[in-house]
Amino acid sequence: MTTWPDDDVILYDGICVFCSRWVQFVIARDAAKRFRFTPIQSPYGTRLAQAFGIDPKEPDTNAVVHGGRAHLKSDAALTVLSNLPGWGWTRALFAVPKPLRNAVYSVVARNRYRIFGKYDSCFVPDAELRRRVLE
């Protein structure tokens, strides 16, 4: 895992419909407003992606910085979910072997544009969310 100075930052593909809905899902459940967000297409998101070895032009994973460490693929999703109120039960899914979790994650990631679609430009947050977006 790589370290990063900002904490509780979710890196996502801003043109991916599925990824943008993931961000909206987190926002709706993150009552403490713990998580902040950055699209991979932003200057900050691009730097973050490159630091984690993610190709910003062909991202194959989202990521979350939590506890000062970068979590990728299924670890990222489970880390975020398990830190949302009422979703702590998802910690049990860490018991599933990581290669299996990541294989499922990768199938969805590879096919996300085909299945869920893609925006022409980066998802634009409303004013409330904009305060939680790092660009």
Side-chain angles (χ1 to χ4, degrees):
M1 282 189 228
T2 306
T3 60
W4 190 258
D6 293 322
D7 208 25
D8 291 329
V9 176
I10 297 173
L11 173 69
Y12 70 99
D13 182 353
I15 61 171
C16 168
V17 172
F18 180 73
C19 305
S20 296
R21 288 193 181 144
W22 163 246
V23 168
Q24 293 168 349
F25 174 90
V26 173
I27 290 165
R29 288 153 184 83
D30 184 16
K33 298 182 180 178
R34 171 186 203 157
F35 290 102
R36 293 175 295 158
F37 309 90
T38 187
I40 201 165
Q41 292 80 7
S42 72
Y44 180 88
T46 297
R47 283 194 320 274
L48 190 63
Q50 290 170 334
F52 300 155
I54 300 168
D55 180 354
K57 293 183 180 167
E58 294 290 329
D60 63 349
T61 181
N62 72 2
V64 65
V65 179
H66 178 71
R69 303 185 85 132
H71 304 273
L72 307 175
K73 297 194 178 200
S74 64
D75 283 347
L78 291 176
T79 297
V80 172
L81 283 172
S82 66
N83 281 283
L84 293 175
W87 287 82
W89 62 269
T90 60
R91 282 184 188 90
L93 297 175
F94 281 110
V96 175
K98 189 174 184 173
L100 179 59
R101 286 188 283 119
N102 281 346
V104 172
Y105 182 97
S106 292
V107 167
V108 173
R110 237 185 345 266
N111 295 292
R112 70 191 184 279
Y113 295 147
R114 187 173 54 78
I115 297 169
F116 301 101
K118 176 175 163 175
Y119 295 120
D120 291 331
S121 59
C122 200
F123 164 73
V124 179
D126 62 22
E128 172 67 23
L129 173 57
R130 194 169 300 275
R131 287 191 286 269
R132 295 172 63 188
V133 172
L134 301 170
E135 295 184 301

